[in-house]
Amino acid sequence: MTEFGLIDTIRRMFAAIPRNGFDGIGDDCTALPLGDGSSLVFTTDLLAENIHFLRSATSPRELGGKALAVNLSDVAAMGARPVATLLSLAIPRDLPDGWIEAFMEGYRTLSEQHAVGLVGGDTTASDSGLVINVTAIGRVADRCIKRRSDALPGDLIAVGGPLGESGAGLQDILAGRCDTPLARIHRNPQPQVEEGIWLGRRPEVHAMMDISDGIASDLRHILDRSGVGAQIDIESIPTSVAVETAVSGGEDYKLLFTFAAEAADTLARDYATRFDEGFHVIGRITPGDRLEWLLDGVPRQVDWQGFRHY
Amino acid sequence: MTEFGLIDTIRRMFAAIPRNGFDGIGDDCTALPLGDGSSLVFTTDLLAENIHFLRSATSPRELGGKALAVNLSDVAAMGARPVATLLSLAIPRDLPDGWIEAFMEGYRTLSEQHAVGLVGGDTTASDSGLVINVTAIGRVADRCIKRRSDALPGDLIAVGGPLGESGAGLQDILAGRCDTPLARIHRNPQPQVEEGIWLGRRPEVHAMMDISDGIASDLRHILDRSGVGAQIDIESIPTSVAVETAVSGGEDYKLLFTFAAEAADTLARDYATRFDEGFHVIGRITPGDRLEWLLDGVPRQVDWQGFRHY
């Protein structure tokens, strides 16, 4: 059974059980409205050795940062500010002295940067590999929550930064080249936390998520949830690597969002004033349900799939 | 480094990072006051194959129930009602067809029993055994939160049910006897969810936690946090197994709580009216910091330690 097949099975099994105010599965996080105009959002991610990382190809400090980064990215992709995490570790007995402390140092540095508390956790032995689970909690004004389901025909589609570098870095690592700049990008994702919170406050931004599997896969989530299609201008995709890697490489952790076309100039100007780099418009939302790839305006047949960890 | 040593190290590393309203580590859950007289509480637990369970000695349905039960127990031990969980699974490729569905069926049955929603999660492959992480969320009126730190000299100490049966069942399982009644108790913990919520509403109940490592270890947490000592009447410990197993066997998941002695009769009467079984008074809180074990009123030298998973 695939990951998505299993998730569908689980969803059906639990459909009749009350969710006690937590909204449905389908976004980067589930949201709990508190009734005072704000919500908490929750996400959880598990990283398993040899599936998500090779202990031989990452430093513990980098891995500690990455374990947190992927969760902060999910929270910010809803427009929420991450406030706290809970961390579970299953620790193999063969870890060198100081390894966990270095891991925690990486986790701490990113926690400090975004003022996110570590408020709970669990540690245990593992008789096989290292396993890390992070649950992240964010807060957001209800009116600022961004979902995958709110894209509208005519919206422009943008990404928050260059794509595919992490995927190309993973290719480097798997080929044994762990010291390249791209490999370092793969090991040190920079979640767009402040960008996500800022975009959440802009009503002209409609749908938002973070890119973890490549836009060829992730954009489909927005299209399916919103009941719309899209055209992507291949030449507009910001990347320094092969375009196929840019659209189907995993773990970019850049924001993917749609916004009202008439607000494009003010949104771009205000964003550029606030952040060092601008965002990149790569296409537009269309009626229907098709995802079309255009090169210089001409539709291309491509077979791009999103990245799969397994 | 021991589990407790690692937790202390982590606590020190994160002491300067804001907790954004979440209270300190030290109870079964961390609590977030919402400002409306209620709080949310959070806990997370990781179960790793061959550390916490043997796949050959449990059914998937039992394991699904147990993974949830230990978390519901933590929530209820704060006096809170569990409302939602997030579930992460790292799934080995060699699991038989239908195994995960049976696991989820066990998780679902207990979720339904306590009306707890499954609101998020993550699934991934594993090349190193089955790993399960559950994060549970509860709600509670602030005035009903019970902590480990609120025991007072003169309080009576009680437990919510017989102790040691799970520990004895684990001994059976490790000896290859997986079909005994005690082994089944070990695999099917029954968290005292309604009992914890009910006790949370009683102001005469002061400190509370659940028993996961045996009272020889767990009671020390209440004593240390509350700055008190205790006398335990060995002959009052409710158990059908050896008393050493009763006090140091793991995974009972019964409630351990202290309450004002003068309220003993009304509390016991009301509890017995509400629940099928009464609770069991096993001793009293004393000034000082010593934990004394008495047999027929005479102090005994014992060397009982709590259960360690590793």
Side-chain angles (χ1 to χ4, degrees):
Chain A
M1 191 182 293
T2 68
E3 178 179 5
F4 294 120
L6 175 58
I7 292 170
D8 277 343
T9 299
I10 293 172
R11 194 172 301 164
R12 276 195 303 275
M13 287 176 70
F14 285 78
I17 299 179
R19 296 178 62 91
N20 299 317
F22 292 78
D23 67 12
I25 298 170
D27 286 301
D28 290 277
C29 301
T30 179
L32 174 69
L34 298 179
D36 63 353
S38 77
S39 290
L40 293 174
V41 302
F42 303 90
T43 185
T44 197
D45 268 289
L46 186 146
L47 299 180
E49 183 166 352
N50 297 334
I51 305 292
H52 299 90
F53 63 91
L54 301 170
R55 217 196 302 165
S56 60
T58 183
S59 75
R61 178 186 285 261
E62 287 172 326
L63 188 61
K66 182 167 177 173
L68 179 58
V70 302
N71 283 279
L72 299 189
S73 184
D74 280 332
V75 169
M78 299 280 292
R81 177 172 295 285
V83 293
T85 64
L86 299 97
L87 170 65
S88 298
L89 294 171
I91 303 172
R93 294 184 174 84
D94 67 347
L95 278 189
D97 276 356
W99 199 100
I100 285 290
E101 289 79 353
F103 173 91
M104 291 308 306
E105 191 54 42
Y107 197 97
R108 195 190 68 78
T109 300
L110 190 62
S111 295
E112 196 168 39
Q113 186 181 331
H114 296 290
V116 179
L118 176 60
V119 300
D122 191 20
T123 61
T124 179
S126 167
D127 83 336
S128 40
L130 177 69
V131 179
I132 305 151
N133 194 87
V134 177
T135 300
I137 305 169
R139 289 195 89 142
V140 58
D142 292 338
R143 68 180 184 284
C144 297
I145 295 181
K146 302 300 181 193
R147 302 184 182 280
R148 299 177 179 181
S149 53
D150 293 336
L152 295 174
D155 278 2
L156 296 180
I157 302 168
V159 296
L163 305 183
E165 296 179 340
S166 175
L170 177 59
Q171 292 169 10
D172 281 357
I173 290 168
L174 294 176
R177 299 187 300 271
C178 295
D179 280 338
T180 68
L182 293 173
R184 278 191 288 277
I185 287 173
H186 178 78
R187 290 193 303 264
N188 294 278
Q190 303 296 317
Q192 298 194 290
V193 176
E194 295 304 325
E195 291 87 342
I197 297 166
W198 188 93
L199 289 165
R201 291 176 180 151
R202 300 291 296 221
E204 64 267 45
V205 174
H206 294 159
M208 186 157 67
M209 66 182 296
D210 74 335
I211 304 168
S212 55
D213 297 333
I215 57 169
S217 167
D218 288 334
L219 183 56
R220 274 253 62 107
H221 296 304
I222 287 180
L223 304 187
D224 292 348
R225 296 255 155 210
S226 299
V228 296
Q231 291 177 329
I232 299 296
D233 304 314
I234 297 171
E235 69 277 9
S236 300
I237 295 169
T239 185
S240 63
V241 302
V243 68
E244 178 159 6
T245 303
V247 302
S248 61
E251 308 199 50
D252 280 317
Y253 302 112
K254 303 300 179 198
L255 293 168
L256 171 65
F257 56 99
T258 81
F259 60 93
E262 62 271 23
D265 291 346
T266 54
L267 188 69
R269 188 193 61 221
D270 294 351
Y271 188 98
T273 303
R274 172 65 181 80
F275 300 105
D276 293 340
E277 285 182 82
F279 58 76
H280 307 264
V281 175
I282 61 167
R284 65 210 66 82
I285 297 292
T286 59
D289 60 5
R290 292 182 58 203
L291 172 53
E292 294 180 287
W293 302 87
L294 311 183
L295 188 61
D296 298 322
V298 180
R300 291 290 170 127
Q301 291 302 319
V302 298
D303 183 29
W304 291 333
Q305 304 292 329
F307 176 72
R308 287 284 174 89
H309 288 101
Y310 60 99
Chain B
M1 190 181 294
T2 67
E3 179 179 4
F4 294 120
L6 176 58
I7 292 171
D8 278 343
T9 299
I10 293 173
R11 196 173 297 166
R12 277 194 304 274
M13 288 176 70
F14 285 80
I17 299 180
R19 296 178 63 90
N20 299 316
F22 292 78
D23 67 11
I25 299 171
D27 286 301
D28 289 279
C29 300
T30 179
L32 174 69
L34 298 179
D36 63 353
S38 76
S39 290
L40 292 175
V41 303
F42 304 90
T43 186
T44 197
D45 268 289
L46 187 147
L47 299 180
E49 184 166 350
N50 297 335
I51 303 293
H52 299 90
F53 62 91
L54 301 170
R55 216 196 303 165
S56 61
T58 183
S59 75
R61 178 187 284 260
E62 287 172 326
L63 189 61
K66 182 168 177 174
L68 179 58
V70 303
N71 283 280
L72 300 188
S73 184
D74 280 334
V75 168
M78 299 280 292
R81 177 173 294 284
V83 292
T85 63
L86 299 97
L87 170 65
S88 298
L89 293 172
I91 303 172
R93 295 183 175 85
D94 66 348
L95 278 189
D97 277 356
W99 200 100
I100 285 291
E101 289 79 356
F103 173 92
M104 291 307 307
E105 192 54 42
Y107 197 96
R108 195 191 66 78
T109 299
L110 191 62
S111 295
E112 195 168 40
Q113 186 181 333
H114 296 290
V116 180
L118 176 59
V119 300
D122 191 20
T123 60
T124 178
S126 170
D127 81 338
S128 52
L130 178 67
V131 179
I132 305 151
N133 194 88
V134 177
T135 299
I137 305 169
R139 290 197 89 144
V140 58
D142 293 338
R143 69 179 183 285
C144 297
I145 296 181
K146 302 301 179 192
R147 302 184 182 281
R148 299 177 179 181
S149 53
D150 293 335
L152 296 173
D155 278 1
L156 297 180
I157 302 169
V159 297
L163 305 183
E165 296 179 340
S166 175
L170 177 59
Q171 292 170 10
D172 280 355
I173 291 168
L174 294 176
R177 299 186 301 272
C178 295
D179 279 338
T180 67
L182 293 173
R184 279 192 288 276
I185 287 174
H186 178 77
R187 291 193 303 263
N188 294 279
Q190 303 296 316
Q192 298 193 289
V193 176
E194 295 304 325
E195 291 87 342
I197 297 166
W198 189 92
L199 290 166
R201 292 177 180 150
R202 299 292 295 221
E204 65 266 46
V205 174
H206 295 158
M208 187 158 66
M209 66 182 296
D210 74 335
I211 305 169
S212 54
D213 297 335
I215 58 169
S217 166
D218 288 333
L219 182 57
R220 274 253 62 106
H221 296 303
I222 286 181
L223 304 187
D224 292 350
R225 297 257 153 208
S226 299
V228 295
Q231 292 176 329
I232 300 296
D233 304 316
I234 296 171
E235 69 277 9
S236 301
I237 296 169
T239 186
S240 62
V241 302
V243 67
E244 179 159 4
T245 304
V247 303
S248 61
E251 309 199 51
D252 280 316
Y253 303 112
K254 302 299 180 198
L255 293 168
L256 171 65
F257 57 99
T258 81
F259 60 93
E262 62 271 23
D265 290 345
T266 54
L267 188 69
R269 189 192 59 220
D270 294 350
Y271 187 98
T273 303
R274 172 66 180 81
F275 300 105
D276 293 340
E277 285 182 81
F279 58 75
H280 307 263
V281 175
I282 61 168
R284 64 211 65 82
I285 297 292
T286 58
D289 60 4
R290 292 181 59 203
L291 172 54
E292 294 179 287
W293 301 87
L294 311 183
L295 188 62
D296 297 323
V298 180
R300 292 289 170 127
Q301 292 301 319
V302 297
D303 182 29
W304 291 332
Q305 304 292 329
F307 176 72
R308 287 286 176 85
H309 291 285
Y310 61 99

